[in-house]
Amino acid sequence: MAHTKTTALSYGAVLRKAKSGHYQLPAFQRKWKWSTRQVMSLYESLRLEYPIGAFLFLSSPEGAKLAPRPFHGAGKVAAGNVNQESLVLDGQQRITAGLSIYFGLEEVGGSEYYIDCNKLEQLLTEAKVNLDDADQVARFAEDVDLDSEYLVAKAHRPDRNFHLVKSNLVWTAYLTQERQAQLDELLDTCDKRTREIIRKLVRVHLAPNVNIQVPVIELGAEFDLASISKVFSTINSSGKLLTPFELVVAILYPNGINLEDDVDAFKQKYRYYANMDRNGEVLLQVVALLSGKSPKKADLPKNIEPPNYNRYKEMAAKCLDEVGKFLTLNVGLGLDVTSKLTPYDAIFAPMAVVYHRMAEMKLSNAESGVAREKLRRWFVAAAVSQRYQEGVHNKQERDANEVEEWVKGGAEPKWVSTTVVTPSFKNASPSGALGRLLLCLINSSNPSDPVLGGHIGFRDGASLAQIHHIFPTRWAPKGISDYRKGGMDTNVALNTMMLAADTNADWLNFDPKNQIQLSKYPLGRSYHDQLISDDAIAVMSLPDKTTANYNEFIELRYRSVVKKLAEFGVHESAQQIETIELDEPSIVEG
């Protein structure tokens, strides 16, 4: 069992060890990001001796695998210290902020903090405070806060005395125990009133107390990388999980591999890949599969080794880009401009590997055409069956192997052959896997806007589409004669189509009849390409509409979708199967 130990240290002791490099950060930790206001709020907490939260340290030897690095602004000594005592898993922002307050920045740019004695003089005068009356001064200090603007941020400069001489600004580091003598010498350069403010108010009441005790939770030698990841994602106060990608970043870093830079470079180089892999994990999954390892995300830290990563990284990015182009051109996935249409990004890694292996098979043109049809069928069947909603990683590895055999002439994977479309599609959300598949089918037809006539959609050369509710959600309560709240759901995929932004804005509250009347271009071009049949258009054109008419429209649209899916070898089953939806993508709905 992994053990933790909880102790208490003074905050100042924590800062000194971070400054010396005895406490460092693992490479996966996110960069320093606090605003000046957040640093000032920490200063206020220290001044008023408020709690500033617990810290999470790692003392396990496993920490050496996480590429320790010094805190931002800690300086040369910290950077050269190879004898780290602990890695800080939670507390980076508070420690880095404390370093800028207590020591100032070294060898980096950024803000440092000063007490504004001119501002304090103004506030003291307004409050008629006698600096010789200790009780008055104490009460004044209790009323001062950040909104009083006594604390200011200034860009780092080597000569901190400049601001004292020029503007009566006292560097916060001069208020520490270690620099008292320096401040005493500098006071001789100040006028008498400023000296009194610093001695009787600033030093006594406005200095940060770094001697407050802070709880420290220490992870012991028993913690391995998996345990570290789990604990970090549970305790991390930022609320953001430590991802396997971030662990792999840390593990590869000591080998001269900057994974984040590689991913950024690949996204610049490969147009389609840029919209396929949000954080680099898909690339790592392809590397794992090409290496004969499991693509399970939790296993990536142990399965991605530097030699294999270096061997396969370029190949992985290239074959992902190639399969992204294939899906964009053949099923309308639109990866040249967006990631919004993707039903499941879990399909990318196994399909990229199969696509790569197809190139090695030396297929004839006819064989290649058949193989590509199988990939299209795989994509559509995966979305219709919601293949990658649960148990993803086992399916990824199995599907890559089974589809490869299928491409070679073997049996079709059983799950593909048994995939059917059911009437539950009529209840599918616009933002679920089935809703996104519908958008792909429409996008692949290169639709046009019914009013403006230009091509719309999610692809290069088309005006970016917005998603419009054909029976508008705002119109339905007053436009459907027997409308009853809860009696009909207009927020379903089959009640949506693509429109240009201007047309969508105009049609937000329009009766479908008026939409048809305002359409200036042939209905076949504007509506048939969006799987809206003549019979469905006739229902839209009815002068008065009931719930039954709406349901008829959805049924007719469903019939058009069933016909379209049959082109991919996915046929209808009369059996009603519950549709479970994915999280919503960021599409614009009208």
Side-chain angles (χ1 to χ4, degrees):
M1 178 180 291
H3 297 289
T4 62
K5 179 175 69 174
T6 302
T7 58
L9 297 175
S10 76
Y11 180 58
V14 172
L15 295 181
R16 285 187 283 273
K17 292 223 172 186
K19 179 68 175 173
S20 67
H22 287 96
Y23 291 166
Q24 295 201 16
L25 293 165
F28 63 70
Q29 280 278 31
R30 295 167 180 88
K31 296 178 181 179
W32 160 247
K33 62 179 182 180
W34 264 16
S35 65
T36 56
R37 183 73 180 187
Q38 287 173 300
V39 178
M40 290 178 178
S41 295
L42 176 67
Y43 187 98
E44 272 283 272
S45 295
L46 295 172
R47 176 178 80 85
L48 299 170
E49 301 184 9
Y50 291 164
I52 61 170
F55 293 80
L56 178 64
F57 291 176
L58 171 68
S59 59
S60 168
E62 292 283 272
K65 300 178 182 178
L66 301 179
R69 61 177 173 86
F71 283 83
H72 176 82
K76 291 181 179 179
V77 173
N81 191 341
V82 295
N83 299 310
Q84 298 87 23
E85 294 178 14
S86 297
L87 295 185
V88 177
L89 299 184
D90 186 26
Q92 176 193 180
Q93 305 300 322
R94 286 166 289 161
I95 292 175
T96 307
L99 290 173
S100 66
I101 291 168
Y102 197 84
F103 295 104
L105 302 173
E106 185 178 340
E107 297 190 325
V108 296
S111 296
E112 294 183 332
Y113 298 86
Y114 294 80
I115 305 296
D116 187 344
C117 292
N118 289 340
K119 184 65 175 180
L120 289 174
E121 164 67 0
Q122 175 189 337
L123 295 172
L124 288 165
T125 301
E126 291 173 355
K128 299 179 181 179
V129 174
N130 180 2
L131 281 175
D132 293 324
D133 187 326
D135 290 337
Q136 281 190 32
V137 173
R139 287 194 296 271
F140 171 82
E142 289 178 0
D143 292 335
V144 167
D145 57 22
L146 291 183
D147 291 335
S148 304
E149 299 179 343
Y150 78 92
L151 184 64
V152 297
K154 293 289 183 181
H156 163 68
R157 59 180 299 148
D159 179 16
R160 280 81 173 209
N161 302 342
F162 170 83
H163 292 301
L164 180 60
V165 173
K166 181 181 179 182
S167 307
N168 284 336
L169 300 178
V170 180
W171 185 33
T172 54
Y174 282 144
L175 301 178
T176 62
Q177 190 90 21
E178 291 87 342
R179 295 181 183 264
Q180 282 197 16
Q182 284 181 265
L183 182 57
D184 285 334
E185 292 179 10
L186 291 170
L187 288 180
D188 292 337
T189 66
C190 301
D191 61 71
K192 179 180 178 182
R193 179 63 172 173
T194 300
R195 288 199 300 272
E196 287 184 337
I197 290 174
I198 293 172
R199 286 172 176 157
K200 297 178 180 179
L201 172 60
V202 175
R203 270 184 162 170
V204 178
H205 297 288
L206 300 184
N209 180 8
V210 296
N211 294 318
I212 64 172
Q213 297 293 295
V214 294
V216 173
I217 303 167
E218 186 176 345
L219 308 185
E222 300 85 356
F223 277 81
D224 57 16
L225 288 177
S227 300
I228 293 165
S229 176
K230 189 175 295 185
V231 170
F232 186 92
S233 56
T234 302
I235 299 178
N236 184 6
S237 62
S238 72
K240 295 181 179 178
L241 301 184
L242 171 64
T243 67
F245 176 81
E246 289 167 318
L247 273 177
V248 177
V249 167
I251 293 168
L252 295 181
Y253 191 81
N255 295 277
I257 299 169
N258 191 320
L259 180 55
E260 291 176 315
D261 285 353
D262 284 353
V263 171
D264 288 342
F266 289 142
K267 288 186 176 183
Q268 290 294 321
K269 182 177 181 180
Y270 294 114
R271 179 183 186 184
Y272 298 90
Y273 169 69
N275 287 311
M276 298 172 72
D277 192 5
R278 184 174 56 86
N279 59 11
E281 287 183 349
V282 178
L283 178 79
L284 294 180
Q285 287 185 308
V286 177
V287 169
L289 286 168
L290 292 173
S291 304
K293 302 290 185 66
S294 167
K296 185 176 181 180
K297 290 183 180 180
D299 290 341
L300 291 177
K302 68 179 182 181
N303 288 342
I304 302 297
E305 299 170 343
N308 284 341
Y309 173 77
N310 283 326
R311 179 181 179 184
Y312 291 117
K313 63 179 182 180
E314 183 76 33
M315 184 187 300
K318 184 178 179 181
C319 62
L320 277 168
D321 192 67
E322 289 174 346
V323 86
K325 181 179 180 179
F326 166 77
L327 292 172
T328 293
L329 297 178
N330 288 275
V331 295
L333 195 52
L335 291 170
D336 49 345
V337 296
T338 187
S339 62
K340 295 177 181 179
L341 307 191
T342 302
Y344 295 108
D345 61 7
I347 199 173
F348 292 148
M351 187 173 284
V353 171
V354 172
Y355 202 83
H356 170 72
R357 291 172 182 166
M358 282 170 51
E360 297 177 333
M361 294 177 193
K362 308 298 183 184
L363 301 173
S364 67
N365 288 339
E367 290 170 333
S368 179
V370 172
R372 289 167 176 263
E373 282 302 310
K374 291 177 179 179
L375 295 191
R376 290 191 344 136
R377 179 157 159 72
W378 177 12
F379 175 86
V380 172
V384 172
S385 66
Q386 300 178 72
R387 171 74 173 167
Y388 300 113
Q389 187 159 301
E390 296 178 351
V392 170
H393 304 103
N394 292 333
K395 294 174 183 175
Q396 286 177 306
E397 192 169 10
R398 185 166 67 247
D399 288 354
N401 294 327
E402 290 185 353
V403 173
E404 181 183 0
E405 290 303 312
W406 182 28
V407 167
K408 290 178 178 178
E412 181 179 72
K414 184 176 180 180
W415 73 265
V416 175
S417 61
T418 58
T419 293
V420 293
V421 60
T422 73
S424 63
F425 203 118
K426 290 183 279 189
N427 302 318
S429 164
S431 54
L434 296 177
R436 298 187 205 188
L437 175 61
L438 176 61
L439 292 179
C440 289
L441 299 177
I442 293 172
N443 197 48
S444 66
S445 298
N446 197 22
S448 300
D449 185 83
V451 174
L452 303 177
H455 289 299
I456 56 174
F458 297 90
R459 64 190 178 282
D460 191 26
S463 297
L464 195 63
Q466 292 187 351
I467 309 306
H468 170 69
H469 287 79
I470 300 165
F471 283 66
T473 54
R474 299 178 188 176
W475 167 85
K478 57 185 178 183
I480 301 293
S481 61
D482 59 346
Y483 179 86
R484 179 174 54 83
K485 189 174 182 180
M488 59 181 286
D489 184 6
T490 56
N491 189 32
V492 295
L494 293 177
N495 186 36
T496 61
M497 66 183 296
M498 293 185 185
L499 292 178
D502 289 346
T503 305
N504 185 41
D506 289 340
W507 286 11
L508 283 177
N509 295 303
F510 272 22
D511 186 321
K513 175 190 67 176
N514 300 122
Q515 298 175 33
I516 296 297
Q517 291 173 346
L518 290 170
S519 297
K520 299 178 181 179
Y521 290 87
L523 298 183
R525 179 178 171 188
S526 302
Y527 288 88
H528 295 177
D529 286 347
Q530 302 209 42
L531 304 179
I532 302 172
S533 65
D534 288 334
D535 288 340
I537 292 172
V539 174
M540 292 174 63
S541 303
L542 291 173
D544 300 305
K545 298 178 183 66
T546 64
T547 302
N549 297 137
Y550 172 74
N551 291 336
E552 181 184 3
F553 171 82
I554 296 298
E555 176 64 29
L556 291 168
R557 190 91 186 281
Y558 171 66
R559 289 287 133 216
S560 296
V561 170
V562 168
K563 184 178 180 180
K564 184 69 175 179
L565 291 175
E567 296 176 12
F568 298 89
V570 177
H571 300 281
E572 183 185 20
S573 168
Q575 182 180 1
Q576 181 80 16
I577 300 174
E578 181 182 2
T579 300
I580 303 172
E581 296 298 342
L582 280 174
D583 294 335
E584 293 186 3
S586 52
I587 60 175
V588 181
E589 298 180 349

